[in-house]
């Protein structure tokens, strides 16, 4: 964010317009802050893989994955996929606004992709509180 002060100012302006200076953010305010949500998603969409334990024996592309194995998603490669994230090397919160409003760029699973919270069925159930 320090490298993009114009983005930080725009998010602060949105917060000030919705919440003002005399109260704290409340859960019901969240839907009134689309740009701020987009900035948070863009800021947190960095490639970090957290190991997950395989709950049962599994098979993927003819490879046996035994119960108890640790798997780490290749978040770096996913974050560089131009089909999911156009211009992946640019800090561009607007990409999440486009995704939310148009819904045509990527799958619903990717809309909520904030890699530190996991993927698919393994996504953290507390993502919205965080």
């Amino acid at each position: 964010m320090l490298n993009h002060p114009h983005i930080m100012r725009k998010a602060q302006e949105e917060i000030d317009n919705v919440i003002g200076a005399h109260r704290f953010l409340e859960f019901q305010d969240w839907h009134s802050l689309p740009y701020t949500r987009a900035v948070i998603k863009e800021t947190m969409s960095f490639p970090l893989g957290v190991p997950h334990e395989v709950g049962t024996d599994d098979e993927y592309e003819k490879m046996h994955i035994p119960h108890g194995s640790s798997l780490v998603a290749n978040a770096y490669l996913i974050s560089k996929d131009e089909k999911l994230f156009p211009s992946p090397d640019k800090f561009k919160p607007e990409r999440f606004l486009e995704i939310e409003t148009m819904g045509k760029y990527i799958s619903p699973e990717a809309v909520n992709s904030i890699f530190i919270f996991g993927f698919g069925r393994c996504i953290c159930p507390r993502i919205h509180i965080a």
Side-chain angles (χ1 to χ4, degrees), residues 10-20 23 25-40 97 100:
K10 188 173 176 180
Q12 185 64 56
E13 183 178 309
E14 180 182 64
I15 292 167
D16 291 343
N17 288 336
V18 171
I19 298 167
R23 69 177 182 91
L25 176 71
E26 297 177 5
F27 283 112
Q28 60 265 24
D29 297 320
W30 189 239
H31 294 290
S32 301
L33 300 166
Y35 189 76
T36 302
R37 282 196 320 270
V39 169
I40 291 168
L97 292 174
E100 282 189 12

Side-chain angles (χ1 to χ4, degrees), residues 103-118:
K104 66 179 185 179
Y105 289 106
I106 62 175
S107 68
E109 293 81 18
V111 170
N112 291 316
S113 288
I114 301 178
F115 302 126
I116 63 171
F117 292 106

Side-chain angles (χ1 to χ4, degrees), residues 33-93:
L33 300 166
Y35 189 76
T36 302
R37 282 196 320 270
V39 169
I40 291 168
K41 287 179 180 182
E42 182 72 1
T43 302
M44 296 181 73
S45 290
F46 59 91
L48 172 68
V50 178
H52 288 81
E53 183 177 310
V54 178
T56 60
D57 284 353
D58 202 354
E59 188 172 309
Y60 178 75
E61 294 187 1
K62 299 182 181 179
M63 291 181 285
H64 177 69
I65 304 169
H67 167 79
S69 298
S70 291
L71 295 179
V72 179
N74 190 344
Y76 178 79
L77 185 61
I78 294 168
S79 74
K80 299 301 179 191
D81 185 342
E82 294 228 11
K83 287 187 288 184
L84 295 175
F85 300 101
S87 304
D89 294 324
K90 292 185 179 179
F91 189 81
K92 184 181 169 191

